[in-house]
Short mmCIF file of all heavy atoms in Angstrom, two decimals:
data_model
loop_
_atom_site.label_atom_id
_atom_site.label_comp_id
_atom_site.label_asym_id
_atom_site.label_seq_id
_atom_site.Cartn_x
_atom_site.Cartn_y
_atom_site.Cartn_z
N LYS L 1 -11.49 33.61 14.26
CA LYS L 1 -12.49 33.17 13.27
C LYS L 1 -12.60 31.60 13.34
O LYS L 1 -13.27 31.00 12.47
CB LYS L 1 -11.92 33.47 11.85
CG LYS L 1 -11.92 35.05 11.58
CD LYS L 1 -11.46 35.34 10.04
CE LYS L 1 -11.56 36.80 9.88
NZ LYS L 1 -11.04 36.93 8.54
N ASN L 2 -11.98 31.07 14.36
CA ASN L 2 -12.05 29.56 14.50
C ASN L 2 -11.63 28.82 13.25
O ASN L 2 -12.26 27.88 12.74
CB ASN L 2 -13.43 29.11 14.89
CG ASN L 2 -13.72 29.34 16.32
OD1 ASN L 2 -13.01 30.07 17.00
ND2 ASN L 2 -14.88 28.73 16.78
N THR L 3 -10.62 29.31 12.57
CA THR L 3 -10.07 28.82 11.29
C THR L 3 -8.65 28.56 11.23
O THR L 3 -7.88 29.39 11.80
CB THR L 3 -10.57 29.80 10.20
OG1 THR L 3 -11.94 30.04 10.18
CG2 THR L 3 -10.14 29.25 8.76
N VAL L 4 -8.28 27.53 10.60
CA VAL L 4 -6.88 27.20 10.34
C VAL L 4 -6.78 27.09 8.76
O VAL L 4 -7.74 26.64 8.01
CB VAL L 4 -6.37 25.82 11.00
CG1 VAL L 4 -7.23 24.79 10.49
CG2 VAL L 4 -4.96 25.71 10.83
N TYR L 5 -5.64 27.54 8.38
CA TYR L 5 -5.36 27.65 6.88
C TYR L 5 -4.07 26.83 6.38
O TYR L 5 -3.25 26.57 7.31
CB TYR L 5 -5.19 29.06 6.38
CG TYR L 5 -6.25 29.93 6.78
CD1 TYR L 5 -6.18 30.74 7.94
CD2 TYR L 5 -7.45 30.06 5.96
CE1 TYR L 5 -7.17 31.70 8.26
CE2 TYR L 5 -8.46 31.06 6.25
CZ TYR L 5 -8.32 31.78 7.48
OH TYR L 5 -9.29 32.62 7.70
N LEU L 6 -3.97 26.36 5.25
CA LEU L 6 -2.89 25.77 4.66
C LEU L 6 -2.66 26.41 3.41
O LEU L 6 -3.42 26.24 2.36
CB LEU L 6 -2.96 24.26 4.45
CG LEU L 6 -1.80 23.60 4.01
CD1 LEU L 6 -0.64 23.62 4.99
CD2 LEU L 6 -2.01 22.07 3.68
N GLN L 7 -1.69 27.32 3.29
CA GLN L 7 -1.25 27.90 2.01
C GLN L 7 -0.24 26.99 1.33
O GLN L 7 0.78 26.70 1.81
CB GLN L 7 -0.71 29.22 2.25
CG GLN L 7 -0.20 29.91 1.07
CD GLN L 7 -1.37 30.35 0.14
OE1 GLN L 7 -2.31 30.94 0.53
NE2 GLN L 7 -1.28 30.07 -1.22
N MET L 8 -0.67 26.61 0.11
CA MET L 8 0.07 25.66 -0.69
C MET L 8 0.62 26.24 -1.93
O MET L 8 -0.16 26.62 -2.73
CB MET L 8 -0.81 24.38 -0.97
CG MET L 8 -1.55 23.70 0.24
SD MET L 8 -2.82 22.62 -0.23
CE MET L 8 -1.89 21.26 -1.07
N ASN L 9 1.90 26.39 -2.03
CA ASN L 9 2.52 26.98 -3.23
C ASN L 9 3.43 26.00 -3.83
O ASN L 9 3.83 24.96 -3.23
CB ASN L 9 3.39 28.21 -2.68
CG ASN L 9 2.60 29.28 -2.04
OD1 ASN L 9 1.39 29.57 -2.47
ND2 ASN L 9 3.13 29.96 -1.15
N SER L 10 3.83 26.29 -5.12
CA SER L 10 4.70 25.47 -5.93
C SER L 10 4.22 24.09 -5.85
O SER L 10 4.98 23.08 -5.64
CB SER L 10 6.18 25.49 -5.32
OG SER L 10 6.55 26.82 -5.37
N LEU L 11 2.98 23.89 -6.17
CA LEU L 11 2.38 22.47 -6.11
C LEU L 11 2.99 21.59 -7.09
O LEU L 11 3.31 21.93 -8.18
CB LEU L 11 0.81 22.58 -6.23
CG LEU L 11 0.12 23.06 -4.97
CD1 LEU L 11 -1.25 23.55 -5.38
CD2 LEU L 11 0.04 22.06 -3.91
N LYS L 12 3.15 20.32 -6.64
CA LYS L 12 3.63 19.15 -7.50
C LYS L 12 2.49 18.15 -7.68
O LYS L 12 1.65 18.04 -6.90
CB LYS L 12 4.88 18.49 -6.78
CG LYS L 12 5.93 19.57 -6.43
CD LYS L 12 7.10 18.78 -5.74
CE LYS L 12 8.05 19.74 -5.39
NZ LYS L 12 9.24 19.13 -4.57
N HIS L 13 2.63 17.27 -8.75
CA HIS L 13 1.78 16.26 -8.90
C HIS L 13 1.66 15.36 -7.65
O HIS L 13 0.62 14.67 -7.41
CB HIS L 13 2.10 15.44 -10.20
CG HIS L 13 1.21 14.33 -10.38
ND1 HIS L 13 -0.08 14.47 -10.78
CD2 HIS L 13 1.41 12.91 -10.39
CE1 HIS L 13 -0.70 13.25 -10.99
NE2 HIS L 13 0.28 12.36 -10.70
N GLU L 14 2.85 15.17 -6.93
CA GLU L 14 2.83 14.33 -5.82
C GLU L 14 2.07 14.78 -4.65
O GLU L 14 1.83 14.09 -3.80
CB GLU L 14 4.38 14.13 -5.26
CG GLU L 14 5.26 13.53 -6.44
CD GLU L 14 5.86 14.69 -7.26
OE1 GLU L 14 6.92 15.24 -6.84
OE2 GLU L 14 5.36 14.97 -8.29
N ASP L 15 1.60 16.16 -4.65
CA ASP L 15 0.83 16.67 -3.75
C ASP L 15 -0.61 16.17 -3.86
O ASP L 15 -1.50 16.57 -2.91
CB ASP L 15 0.94 18.21 -3.53
CG ASP L 15 2.28 18.69 -3.29
OD1 ASP L 15 2.97 18.04 -2.37
OD2 ASP L 15 2.75 19.61 -3.89
N THR L 16 -0.98 15.54 -4.83
CA THR L 16 -2.27 15.10 -5.06
C THR L 16 -2.81 14.13 -4.07
O THR L 16 -2.25 13.03 -3.85
CB THR L 16 -2.57 14.49 -6.43
OG1 THR L 16 -2.14 15.46 -7.46
CG2 THR L 16 -3.86 14.00 -6.62
N ASP L 17 -3.72 14.60 -3.17
CA ASP L 17 -4.20 13.80 -2.13
C ASP L 17 -5.56 14.38 -1.59
O ASP L 17 -5.97 15.53 -1.98
CB ASP L 17 -3.23 13.86 -0.95
CG ASP L 17 -2.09 12.94 -1.15
OD1 ASP L 17 -2.30 11.70 -1.42
OD2 ASP L 17 -0.83 13.35 -0.98
N VAL L 18 -6.12 13.72 -0.75
CA VAL L 18 -7.25 14.21 0.04
C VAL L 18 -6.66 14.89 1.36
O VAL L 18 -5.87 14.18 2.10
CB VAL L 18 -8.32 13.29 0.48
CG1 VAL L 18 -9.28 13.79 1.40
CG2 VAL L 18 -8.97 12.63 -0.79
N TYR L 19 -6.99 16.07 1.57
CA TYR L 19 -6.24 16.81 2.68
C TYR L 19 -7.32 16.99 3.77
O TYR L 19 -8.46 17.30 3.59
CB TYR L 19 -5.85 18.18 2.25
CG TYR L 19 -4.59 18.16 1.48
CD1 TYR L 19 -4.54 17.72 0.19
CD2 TYR L 19 -3.34 18.58 2.03
CE1 TYR L 19 -3.43 17.59 -0.63
CE2 TYR L 19 -2.18 18.47 1.31
CZ TYR L 19 -2.21 17.95 -0.01
OH TYR L 19 -1.00 17.93 -0.65
N TYR L 20 -6.91 16.55 4.99
CA TYR L 20 -7.75 16.59 6.16
C TYR L 20 -7.21 17.57 7.14
O TYR L 20 -6.06 17.65 7.49
CB TYR L 20 -7.77 15.26 6.84
CG TYR L 20 -8.46 14.11 6.05
CD1 TYR L 20 -7.56 13.42 5.06
CD2 TYR L 20 -9.70 13.83 6.06
CE1 TYR L 20 -8.15 12.34 4.33
CE2 TYR L 20 -10.33 12.87 5.31
CZ TYR L 20 -9.44 12.05 4.40
OH TYR L 20 -10.07 11.06 3.64
N CYS L 21 -8.16 18.32 7.79
CA CYS L 21 -8.00 19.10 9.02
C CYS L 21 -8.09 18.25 10.16
O CYS L 21 -9.02 17.43 10.24
CB CYS L 21 -8.90 20.29 8.99
SG CYS L 21 -8.88 21.37 10.40
N ALA L 22 -7.27 18.38 11.10
CA ALA L 22 -7.29 17.58 12.39
C ALA L 22 -7.04 18.45 13.58
O ALA L 22 -6.38 19.54 13.44
CB ALA L 22 -6.22 16.39 12.26
N ALA L 23 -7.44 17.96 14.72
CA ALA L 23 -7.34 18.76 15.99
C ALA L 23 -7.28 17.83 17.14
O ALA L 23 -7.77 16.71 17.11
CB ALA L 23 -8.54 19.70 16.13
N ASP L 24 -6.59 18.31 18.07
CA ASP L 24 -6.51 17.64 19.47
C ASP L 24 -6.11 18.47 20.48
O ASP L 24 -5.39 19.53 20.25
CB ASP L 24 -5.56 16.40 19.30
CG ASP L 24 -5.85 15.25 20.30
OD1 ASP L 24 -5.43 15.42 21.52
OD2 ASP L 24 -6.47 14.40 19.80
N LEU L 25 -6.53 18.18 21.75
CA LEU L 25 -6.31 19.00 22.93
C LEU L 25 -4.92 18.62 23.57
O LEU L 25 -4.36 19.35 24.34
CB LEU L 25 -7.25 18.90 23.91
CG LEU L 25 -8.72 19.38 23.62
CD1 LEU L 25 -9.78 18.95 24.71
CD2 LEU L 25 -8.70 20.83 23.52
N ARG L 26 -4.42 17.39 23.28
CA ARG L 26 -3.24 16.81 23.98
C ARG L 26 -1.91 17.04 23.29
O ARG L 26 -0.93 16.39 23.69
CB ARG L 26 -3.51 15.43 24.13
CG ARG L 26 -4.88 15.12 24.98
CD ARG L 26 -5.17 13.71 25.04
NE ARG L 26 -5.47 13.19 23.72
CZ ARG L 26 -5.69 11.86 23.34
NH1 ARG L 26 -5.62 10.93 24.24
NH2 ARG L 26 -5.79 11.53 22.11
N ILE L 27 -1.88 17.71 22.11
CA ILE L 27 -0.63 17.80 21.32
C ILE L 27 0.36 18.67 22.11
O ILE L 27 0.04 19.76 22.67
CB ILE L 27 -0.86 18.41 19.92
CG1 ILE L 27 -1.98 17.55 19.27
CG2 ILE L 27 0.29 18.41 19.13
CD1 ILE L 27 -1.55 16.08 19.08
#
């Protein structure tokens, strides 16, 4: 599906952020 997921559980206030998806061929 050309899709990556991030399941986020037990969220805390400190998790408040802008979340970015990133990719690279060289990792």
Side-chain angles (χ1 to χ4, degrees):
K1 297 181 178 179
N2 282 14
T3 303
V4 62
Y5 305 95
L6 183 67
Q7 179 66 46
M8 307 166 66
N9 299 326
S10 301
L11 284 163
K12 306 174 181 178
H13 179 68
E14 303 89 86
D15 296 319
T16 296
D17 281 308
V18 176
Y19 284 74
Y20 296 89
C21 178
D24 206 276
L25 294 170
R26 303 169 298 172
I27 304 298

